[in-house]
Amino acid sequence: MLSIVSMTLGPVMTNTFIVADDASGEAVVIDPADEGKRIAAEIADRDWRLVSIWLTHAHFDHLGGAGDLADSSTPPPPVALHPDDYQLWRMQGGAAFFGMKIDPGPEPTIDLTHNQLLHLGEHTFRVLHAPGHTQGHVMFHNQSQGLLFCGDVIFQGSIGRTDLPGGDYDTLIHSIHTQVMNLADETVLLCGHGPQSKVGVERLYNPFVR
Ligand SMILES: [Zn+2]
Ligand SMILES: [Zn+2]
């Protein structure tokens, strides 16, 4: 089975997800938003082993905890990011734009590509490139358990903002229609901000995608 621990962290209440394969104890952290030491403690408390950090995109509020998390882990885990967000990553995810400073952690070494398969124990996650909020935004889809870690693409009743550098409204709407709304209604959306939802619920009630 997969275990999921969610933590809401940082200045704009970003959701961090620790995802673990119970059989092997291997864990990944999706978007270590802040308080990397606390994330590491949650992993250690459960006797899990951090094998990788997966970033949905490179905004500062999704990786502000990566430095401390990596420093608390031996060996430091490799970081996965879509190359189209590398430039944003090098700018600390736009932190300066918001008057902040973060430690972005280890340089990403896993280049994510559309339809790439990532493995966690015996579980498989498909990388879905969904630009529009940022150019290199990806989502992580586990089809067998019906889970989509969708970052800042879509939220309960809303969508990601497109007014920041690299954002584009039409591109985002296209991504949502082709990469989210094509999934089964019962697919659970684990969003970068706010509560979780389901594809079928957003299909009915999200004013941006109806
Ligand atoms: Zn974002
Ligand atoms: Zn965000």
Side-chain angles (χ1 to χ4, degrees):
M1 283 298 292
L2 277 176
S3 291
I4 300 172
V5 176
S6 66
M7 307 168 75
T8 304
L9 301 171
V12 287
M13 297 182 65
T14 305
N15 291 326
T16 290
F17 299 99
I18 307 169
V19 185
D21 167 46
D22 293 325
S24 65
E26 290 187 351
V28 296
V29 172
I30 299 176
D31 292 352
D34 203 357
E35 297 187 70
K37 289 190 169 64
R38 226 180 102 198
I39 302 170
E42 294 284 344
I43 294 170
D45 282 352
R46 291 168 174 81
D47 287 324
W48 291 340
R49 189 167 54 86
L50 178 63
V51 295
S52 192
I53 293 173
W54 296 351
L55 301 178
T56 59
H57 64 298
H59 276 153
F60 76 95
D61 61 304
H62 291 255
L63 50 84
D68 277 348
L69 175 59
D71 289 347
S72 309
S73 312
T74 358
V79 177
L81 179 69
H82 192 287
D84 288 356
D85 260 18
Y86 279 3
Q87 194 188 352
L88 187 58
W89 185 90
R90 287 191 199 96
M91 295 163 58
Q92 297 186 359
F97 187 77
F98 294 92
M100 299 196 214
K101 207 169 184 303
I102 58 153
D103 172 4
E107 180 122 10
T109 55
I110 302 172
D111 290 352
L112 297 177
T113 56
H114 186 59
N115 276 328
Q116 180 179 358
L117 298 179
L118 301 173
H119 301 282
L120 177 64
E122 60 194 18
H123 304 278
T124 302
F125 294 78
R126 185 180 294 276
V127 175
L128 301 175
H129 185 209
H133 175 68
T134 65
Q135 291 171 334
H137 198 301
V138 298
M139 307 183 292
F140 303 105
H141 182 219
N142 179 271
Q143 187 161 23
S144 62
Q145 313 234 3
L147 304 172
L148 183 71
F149 295 89
C150 58
D152 288 2
V153 170
I154 185 167
F155 307 119
Q156 184 195 68
S158 187
I159 59 172
R161 57 191 285 187
T162 53
D163 59 326
L164 295 169
D168 184 78
Y169 182 84
D170 291 341
T171 303
L172 179 60
I173 294 296
H174 180 76
S175 289
I176 291 170
H177 280 294
T178 56
Q179 308 299 328
V180 181
M181 288 303 138
N182 58 324
L183 302 177
D185 277 348
E186 56 274 17
T187 305
V188 175
L189 298 172
L190 297 132
C191 309
H193 302 271
Q196 66 180 48
S197 185
K198 287 189 173 179
V199 168
V201 172
E202 297 312 306
R203 205 190 303 285
L204 281 176
Y205 299 114
N206 192 312
F208 296 92
V209 296
R210 271 188 294 176

